[in-house]
Amino acid sequence: MSLNSHRTAFVLSGGASLGSIQVGMLEALYERGIRPDLIVGTSAGALNGAYLASRPQTVDTARKLGDVWGGLSRNQVFPANPITGLLGFIGMRGNLVPDSGLRALVEGQTATERIEDAEVELHLIATDVQTGEEVRLSRGSLVDGVMASAAIPGVLPAVEWQGRTLIDGGVSNNAPISHAVELGADEIFVLAVGAACELEAPPSGALAMLIQASSLLIGHRMVSDIATFSQRAQLTVLPPPCPIDVQPTDFGHAQELIGRARDDARRFLASRSGGECDAAKRSRRVASQPEPTLVPGPG
């Protein structure tokens, strides 16, 4: 058994198209030798987590994930289907958009079939639509798990999972810090992209106002969780670029957002650690320690 029981978690929040921001944050973390022992993801963060968990934890992997985001379009993720939309509008279906586009994307980018087979421990957060409970998915179909975690209510269809009907994890916990703590992480890096920052002007339009209001609620929950769990784990919350005038349904600015997030995360991590991240220092110290001598027990 290893003498090093330290567990580092990456918590990847939801944020629809703004999930591309996490790519820049990941690049900055990997550059400094910070790698996760476990990944907890919600919604877009579940998609990113599923991609990362079965690949090397390197800058190159983050950049390849960036290429995936750079190739996405709104029609690819949310393909328009007049029949599905009409049936959803009149109440004969529970969704306005078919999940075929997102499912094809997830199937094409996941490297394992089951959550528990990922090389890095992976947990996906969804919401039970009937009870409102947070549901942590740690075993089972990886594709179905991501689809459940990303099932935006009313937009994408809910996913049936072991007798439960699951929707987007961001509804109940968009930045699942609490789950990382429950799973034994003592150092947590929160890659938050779904919380609102101060705007230069009020949102224009009903949809923009609704998104901003939802972001404010998400932000309040995250602030509360940081206050609650900062006594139980070392928390580092990487701030997203701010202000952002890109809507979460706009997939046309991925490379711009990745670049801004990478630069901001580099500056943030450098200012936080005085040039070298605590995790990188610790990794070097652990690597330099001699291997422990194993003494057999009786019998």
Side-chain angles (χ1 to χ4, degrees):
M1 181 177 178
S2 172
L3 295 180
N4 177 27
S5 60
H6 179 83
R7 276 166 67 80
T8 298
F10 283 3
V11 171
L12 309 178
S13 78
S17 69
L18 302 184
S20 61
I21 290 171
Q22 290 172 351
V23 174
M25 295 175 172
L26 288 163
E27 286 189 45
L29 288 167
Y30 290 144
E31 285 171 355
R32 304 178 74 80
I34 306 171
R35 293 173 174 81
D37 299 299
L38 66 150
I39 297 171
V40 185
T42 293
S43 198
L47 178 63
N48 285 338
Y51 183 95
L52 295 170
S54 296
R55 292 173 170 84
Q57 303 300 295
T58 63
V59 173
D60 184 60
T61 293
R63 289 174 178 165
K64 289 178 179 177
L65 177 58
D67 292 338
V68 174
W69 279 100
L72 293 182
S73 66
R74 179 173 179 172
N75 287 336
Q76 182 179 358
V77 179
F78 303 122
N81 185 306
I83 295 177
T84 301
L86 176 61
L87 292 175
F89 183 75
I90 64 177
M92 296 184 65
R93 292 182 67 103
N95 57 286
L96 298 174
V97 175
D99 65 357
S100 55
L102 182 59
R103 182 172 287 274
L105 171 66
V106 176
E107 289 175 344
Q109 298 302 330
T110 49
T112 60
E113 292 186 0
R114 299 185 63 80
I115 299 171
E116 65 268 28
D117 292 337
E119 295 181 18
V120 178
E121 183 181 333
L122 176 65
H123 304 271
L124 310 175
I125 307 303
T127 303
D128 186 317
V129 72
Q130 291 181 271
T131 66
E133 292 178 295
E134 301 169 26
V135 181
R136 185 166 70 221
L137 309 178
S138 303
R139 302 181 64 85
S141 167
L142 180 56
V143 171
D144 287 345
V146 174
M147 295 301 296
S149 183
I152 302 171
V155 178
L156 293 168
V159 174
E160 297 300 320
W161 184 284
Q162 299 179 3
R164 287 182 151 184
T165 302
L166 303 182
I167 59 172
D168 196 320
V171 171
S172 57
N173 195 345
N174 197 57
I177 298 169
S178 58
H179 291 269
V181 172
E182 290 175 6
L183 290 162
D186 44 26
E187 183 166 22
I188 301 171
F189 291 86
V190 183
L191 284 65
V193 301
C197 61
E198 184 175 345
L199 301 179
E200 295 180 333
S204 59
L207 179 59
M209 186 65 76
L210 176 60
I211 290 172
Q212 175 68 5
S214 300
S215 298
L216 290 171
L217 289 173
I218 288 168
H220 286 307
R221 167 67 190 269
M222 188 171 71
V223 169
S224 175
D225 281 356
I226 291 170
T228 299
F229 295 107
S230 59
Q231 302 303 315
R232 297 176 56 184
Q234 180 180 336
L235 297 179
T236 300
V237 182
L238 279 72
C242 187
I244 296 177
D245 57 3
V246 177
Q247 295 293 331
T249 55
D250 184 352
F251 290 83
H253 300 272
Q255 295 303 330
E256 171 195 343
L257 293 175
I258 291 170
R260 289 180 60 188
R262 178 176 57 244
D263 294 343
D264 287 352
R266 284 171 174 169
R267 286 191 292 267
F268 174 79
L269 292 170
S271 65
R272 170 183 172 272
S273 63
E276 184 175 22
C277 179
D278 297 340
K281 294 177 182 178
R282 180 172 48 256
S283 297
R284 192 176 63 250
R285 287 199 302 270
V286 171
S288 66
Q289 292 176 351
E291 288 293 320
T293 301
L294 301 181
V295 180

